[in-house]
Amino acid sequence: MSVEVSGGIVLVLLAFLSSVLAGLGWGLAGWGRRPTRDFPRWAYRCHVFFMSLASLRLLLLLINHRFEYAYVYSHTSRDLPPLYLLSSFWAGHEGSILLWGLIGAWIGLIFLRSARPLDMFFYNLTQLGLTSLLLLNNPFALLGATPSEGLGLNPLLQDPWMAIHPPVIFFGYVGLAIPFASSLAALIERREKEWAQRSLPWTLFGWLCLGSGMIIGALWAYEVLGWGGYWSWDPVENAALVPWLMTTALLHGQSAGVTRTSLTLAISTYLMVVLGTFVTRSGLFADFSVHSFADLGLGGLLLAKVIVLGILAAAILGSRWKALGGQKASLLPATTIAVLLGAAFIVALGTATPLITAALGRPAAVEASFYNKGIFPLALLAGLLMALFPWLERRKSLIIPGTLILAGTAPIAVLTRQPFHSLFIGVSLAALLTNAIAWVSSRWRSSYLLHGGMAMIFLGIVVSASFSTAERVALKTGESRQVLGYQVRYRGTTPSGLELELTGQGGSFEAFPRIYAQGGDVVPKPHISRGFLNDIYISPLGLQHDRGPAVRVEKGETVVQEGYEVTFHDFDLIGHQGGRVATQVTVAADGFVHQVVPALTIKPNSREQEIAYIPELDVAVALDEVDARGEVVLRLFHPDAAPQVLILEVSRKPLISLLWCGALVTVLGGIATLLQRKGRSPVQGQ
Amino acid sequence: MRGRGALFLGLFMAGCLALASSSFLSSLTPYVDFARAKESDRTVQVLGILLPQTMEDEAGLRFLLMDEHGEVMPIVYNGARPYGFEQAERVGAVGIYKDGVFQAKRLLVKCPSKYRGE
């Protein structure tokens, strides 16, 4: 077995070493001491080969249920379907870093074809960082024993969206490494002018992947978590949003040819990616985030990496700072960049607040309202810019977009009396229309498609946030109630879930939300009835047995409950141990006395009831509570007859579909832009 | 155009910053223990161990938390039971203490390491 101990990690070590060699080669070639480029290229290809082999190794271990490996044991079980066996590869920290490194290695192979030695030197640094991280966080660690079954994959992660979310995010991170690396190379080689155009496709690629990854994460939260939202301003989400906003600013800077700002942004965005990873995986946010990442002891290494890279980059940038100055951006891109960076700053500030305030001695977090209020004026201006952009660009009069904004805002403002939200809706609507018109009249220029898609996202966000309605209802089996204009009937439980029937004006439909027990936990899964205008979101909050009234009795006391004489005699000391409290109870009926011992075990996080059943009477006795004075709470019920009570939240979310459609349009616009750029000559300047 | 535009942009960004900082101060939720939470009339964040008497009704999820000083506080949360609630090592709640109950707007569930391995 000891040979296998090293199997996977030796491959990682070889990948690390070949990356070191490649880096040395490119360093020498780049600084002109050795002209040959073949050596580092081959070293890098070895790096890619070893990363692929190491990943294949982990995949095989997962598929073959090799539970002697800690990673396989911690993240899989034998009953896991093949898709999730595959996605368990990146379900944990070590595997996700391996995936990041693998994607980085592959993308580097593509970048290699057009890159200069120094580009690759800096790009290779990121691979070096990832592989060194892997050596410290070994995905191939052995347990020292071979369990017959693994712990399984967190059921929340067993979702197709969640399976593809991490790889898409990593493609984004890797894409952003390229403008970062090539900006440093360009600064050293003084080729800044052509840098912006050359690396723009990679920025766009990174931007698209990071954005798609976030949208996929949002879809997952919406479809699986059941709280009805898709975004919760959690540190982990913000750690992706901040670099995404910065990348959006970078895109505008690069396409406007604002070189110095773009170079600074390219560098700081990637540093923000690494910093975000550090922050979310260091355990620093353990008390502030719903995502539970353990403290992996990585904090130091990642932070050191950010600081070293930051100082290095600042020095390189500083050496060229003055030489690159003197160039002024025109107002439109300058405003766009300022708005995006302002939003990034607000999100970063809110996210870092617990850390900053803790350092000052009085820890505090910000509420979600801070982000919403802080970003609102910036988002409004962003919407306005998008609405005016197609007109400003062609120096046409602003009458048409202005009228559109007013026409969109005024009626909604009158109807809803929410002036600010209405203004936002009007602006977004105008942005959608002006970009749609410009898209058609410009013969499908993809930047209009991109902005039109963003306008749809804005609309979806603000309309669903402003005009959602929700109602809560408790239903017994067979009962029906009026909720949000629907007659909701709870038919009962079936193997596929809870069976509901909703009848509204437009007909009726069935809904099957679920509540299932998994590993001692209750997992609710909402049912979403999608429509273009409205989503009906049905979230089960709880399912309980209605066990009738409880009675509080003292020691020696007798109470009459549903015709039975119930007497609590004493605590049963024999069974009294380790948090378990047992009681001697008699139930008398029709001249017969039945003695039972219902018990309750209280553990730190749960409690278990031992319900005593009297077959002759078909009555169950449960011990619900014990208090300090020696009183107990007993509950008598007929187990079969006890009806289930389902607690539901039904909400109507108007136009949330626009958010997802808009994301799709934006992604299509991004892909179209990439393809259109590919068709052009790469040396085409500004 | 450039000069006036830059001035306008600068003013707008300054306005945004002023707005953001005012909402920053009002939305700060300090981490406090239960005794402080009960005295405070603003939104705070608390953290405690879940005691075993959770129930749900139309008003939401009702449960008891105990903080590190052994103080117990009833919590009501008007929303879906978060995943991992029963198994949580600790539960965090953001909200206001009012009328003898802590009314949570948001829950943070600290999952045990079940799916992480140790």
Side-chain angles (χ1 to χ4, degrees):
Chain A
M1 288 305 279
S2 61
V3 181
E4 280 185 349
V5 175
S6 35
I9 198 67
V10 161
L11 292 171
V12 174
L13 185 65
L14 287 171
F16 172 76
L17 291 175
S18 45
S19 173
V20 170
L21 289 178
L24 283 174
W26 275 315
L28 288 174
W31 276 283
R33 307 256 156 78
R34 269 187 64 169
T36 173
R37 291 182 194 175
D38 282 349
F39 164 68
R41 277 169 186 260
W42 280 107
Y44 187 80
R45 283 178 190 132
C46 288
H47 168 75
V48 177
F49 175 71
F50 289 126
M51 283 305 278
S52 308
L53 226 50
S55 305
L56 190 65
R57 173 82 184 140
L58 183 61
L59 190 61
L60 287 174
L61 293 177
L62 288 165
I63 289 173
N64 292 318
H65 304 299
R66 300 282 293 272
F67 296 127
E68 67 267 33
Y69 286 87
Y71 195 81
V72 181
Y73 169 72
S74 306
H75 300 290
T76 65
S77 55
R78 288 184 192 279
D79 59 353
L80 213 54
L83 171 68
Y84 301 127
L85 216 46
L86 173 69
S87 74
S88 64
F89 186 111
W90 47 84
H93 165 70
E94 295 88 351
S96 64
I97 296 288
L98 181 59
L99 178 72
W100 186 353
L102 178 71
I103 292 171
W106 286 346
I107 295 284
L109 221 45
I110 300 171
F111 182 45
L112 187 61
R113 291 190 294 189
S114 64
R116 289 162 182 259
L118 272 189
D119 290 331
M120 284 311 290
F121 174 78
F122 287 110
Y123 182 80
N124 185 63
L125 279 186
T126 66
Q127 287 301 110
L128 209 57
L130 289 170
T131 40
S132 59
L133 209 58
L134 277 175
L135 291 175
L136 294 174
N137 297 266
N138 179 8
F140 302 98
L142 282 165
L143 277 178
T146 308
S148 59
E149 178 61 295
L151 291 175
L153 182 65
N154 186 334
L156 288 182
L157 302 183
Q158 297 185 31
D159 178 88
W161 291 123
M162 219 19 171
I164 59 168
H165 167 72
V168 177
I169 290 273
F170 289 138
F171 269 104
Y173 286 175
V174 166
L176 294 180
I178 289 178
F180 164 76
S182 58
S183 67
L184 290 175
L187 281 164
I188 287 172
E189 296 182 335
R190 305 189 173 185
R191 293 183 293 105
E192 295 94 348
K193 284 279 175 283
E194 61 171 281
W195 164 81
Q197 287 302 312
R198 267 186 13 141
S199 63
L200 184 56
W202 286 110
T203 311
L204 187 58
F205 172 76
W207 179 84
L208 268 181
C209 292
L210 197 53
S212 309
M214 284 196 301
I215 283 287
I216 290 168
L219 254 176
W220 168 77
Y222 183 66
E223 288 185 352
V224 172
L225 294 185
W227 60 278
Y230 49 85
W231 190 266
S232 62
W233 299 111
D234 189 90
V236 174
E237 296 167 347
N238 294 351
L241 180 62
V242 173
W244 183 83
L245 287 167
M246 292 171 73
T247 313
T248 317
L250 171 61
L251 272 179
H252 288 93
Q254 276 181 286
S255 42
V258 199
T259 313
R260 193 167 72 178
T261 309
S262 303
L263 287 161
T264 316
L265 277 173
I267 293 165
S268 46
T269 302
Y270 189 72
L271 292 180
M272 191 52 91
V273 165
V274 183
L275 193 67
T277 314
F278 151 68
V279 155
T280 50
R281 302 198 182 207
S282 63
L284 273 177
F285 278 103
D287 288 345
F288 314 116
S289 167
V290 286
H291 294 70
S292 50
F293 280 114
D295 187 352
L296 298 150
L298 294 175
L301 186 75
L302 277 169
L303 195 61
K305 192 179 158 185
V306 176
I307 291 171
V308 169
L309 278 178
I311 292 173
L312 185 76
I316 295 172
L317 191 61
S319 71
R320 291 283 293 153
W321 189 258
K322 276 209 174 125
L324 289 170
Q327 166 199 29
K328 282 193 175 166
S330 49
L331 190 61
L332 196 59
T335 313
T336 310
I337 292 170
V339 163
L340 287 162
L341 292 184
F345 173 75
I346 283 170
V347 179
L349 175 69
T351 313
T353 297
L355 303 183
I356 298 168
T357 49
L360 296 174
R362 302 195 60 180
V366 292
E367 284 180 76
S369 66
F370 165 68
Y371 298 103
N372 297 333
K373 282 182 195 159
I375 286 186
F376 188 83
L378 296 168
L380 194 61
L381 184 55
L384 194 64
L385 287 171
M386 289 197 298
L388 303 184
F389 165 67
W391 262 251
L392 286 177
E393 205 187 32
R394 294 150 172 229
R395 312 242 177 272
K396 284 186 186 165
S397 102
L398 296 177
I399 293 171
I400 295 176
T403 317
L404 280 173
I405 291 171
L406 274 179
T409 309
I412 302 169
V414 170
L415 277 175
T416 63
R417 298 183 182 185
Q418 293 190 12
F420 289 112
H421 287 170
S422 309
L423 184 59
F424 197 5
I425 293 171
V427 164
S428 311
L429 209 56
L432 176 57
L433 291 173
T434 55
N435 280 289
I437 295 167
W439 185 51
V440 175
S441 64
S442 69
R443 294 177 172 243
W444 330 119
R445 230 182 84 183
S446 52
S447 62
Y448 298 123
L449 197 60
L450 268 171
H451 288 119
M454 284 306 300
M456 284 169 79
I457 293 178
F458 275 32
L459 266 179
I461 289 174
V462 69
V463 173
S464 67
S466 314
F467 304 112
S468 281
T469 44
E471 242 179 78
R472 191 163 296 180
V473 67
L475 290 169
K476 289 181 183 163
T477 314
E479 198 180 10
S480 73
R481 291 253 182 105
Q482 192 77 19
V483 189
L484 292 180
Y486 286 94
Q487 191 70 24
V488 181
R489 208 166 84 84
Y490 173 38
R491 288 204 207 128
T493 48
T494 66
S496 64
L498 308 158
E499 208 177 284
L500 298 168
E501 190 184 277
L502 285 86
T503 313
Q505 288 159 338
S508 69
F509 64 94
E510 289 176 317
F512 302 96
R514 297 173 68 189
I515 293 187
Y516 53 99
Q518 182 130 17
D521 234 321
V522 185
V523 186
K525 190 160 194 287
H527 177 101
I528 307 170
S529 162
R530 288 181 189 280
F532 182 73
L533 289 177
N534 283 302
D535 274 12
I536 302 295
Y537 193 94
I538 302 159
S539 184
L541 301 184
L543 186 63
Q544 291 171 341
H545 286 277
D546 187 6
R547 286 175 176 168
V551 281
R552 185 172 282 272
V553 279
E554 283 175 32
K555 201 192 283 186
E557 191 187 358
T558 300
V559 292
V560 178
Q561 175 85 2
E562 294 182 15
Y564 305 110
E565 282 178 24
V566 185
T567 311
F568 166 42
H569 295 277
D570 203 349
F571 290 102
D572 187 3
L573 294 175
I574 302 165
H576 196 109
Q577 52 173 343
R580 181 175 181 270
V581 182
T583 47
Q584 294 172 352
V585 173
T586 55
V587 178
D590 312 325
F592 289 98
V593 179
H594 305 273
Q595 190 168 2
V596 289
V597 188
L600 176 66
T601 306
I602 300 178
K603 292 177 182 171
N605 308 318
S606 64
R607 60 178 201 163
E608 280 164 26
Q609 283 181 316
E610 291 166 43
I611 293 168
Y613 180 58
I614 309 167
E616 294 89 342
L617 303 175
D618 187 29
V619 158
V621 185
L623 174 61
D624 273 13
E625 272 175 49
V626 179
D627 75 17
R629 288 169 300 187
E631 290 181 348
V632 296
V633 174
L634 295 173
R635 202 182 283 268
L636 252 68
F637 59 98
H638 298 284
D640 295 333
Q644 284 182 322
V645 178
L646 172 67
I647 299 165
L648 277 181
E649 187 172 79
V650 181
S651 40
R652 176 185 286 123
K653 301 183 180 297
L655 287 188
I656 200 166
S657 57
L658 269 186
L659 168 58
W660 318 121
C661 294
L664 192 65
V665 171
T666 309
V667 169
L668 290 177
I671 293 171
T673 311
L674 275 176
L675 293 177
Q676 283 176 5
R677 285 195 62 88
K678 216 183 161 200
R680 282 191 241 158
S681 132
V683 277
Q684 185 185 8
Q686 185 53 20
Chain B
M1 175 67 187
R2 164 103 189 124
R4 254 196 301 161
L7 184 70
F8 172 76
L9 179 60
L11 282 177
F12 180 81
M13 292 310 285
C16 286
L17 204 68
L19 202 74
S21 43
S22 80
S23 70
F24 178 76
L25 291 175
S26 67
S27 82
L28 270 184
T29 53
Y31 291 84
V32 295
D33 57 20
F34 290 1
R36 293 258 308 278
K38 288 174 184 174
E39 288 164 11
S40 176
D41 55 356
R42 61 181 292 184
T43 302
V44 293
Q45 182 151 343
V46 295
L47 190 65
I49 300 168
L50 184 65
L51 296 183
Q53 272 162 30
T54 300
M55 55 170 288
E56 267 151 341
D57 56 27
E58 277 167 82
L61 192 65
R62 297 173 180 279
F63 56 97
L64 296 172
L65 287 185
M66 187 172 79
D67 74 358
E68 53 194 9
H69 310 301
E71 179 129 5
V72 175
M73 184 161 68
I75 313 242
V76 58
Y77 172 62
N78 180 16
R81 173 187 293 237
Y83 171 72
F85 187 74
E86 275 75 13
Q87 308 262 310
E89 283 167 358
R90 288 176 302 165
V91 172
V94 181
I96 303 181
Y97 187 81
K98 217 156 100 190
D99 307 328
V101 188
F102 188 82
Q103 297 175 342
K105 296 184 215 166
R106 205 158 96 91
L107 294 184
L108 297 171
V109 170
K110 304 287 121 200
C111 287
S113 45
K114 190 169 88 185
Y115 296 111
R116 272 194 253 129
E118 275 179 311

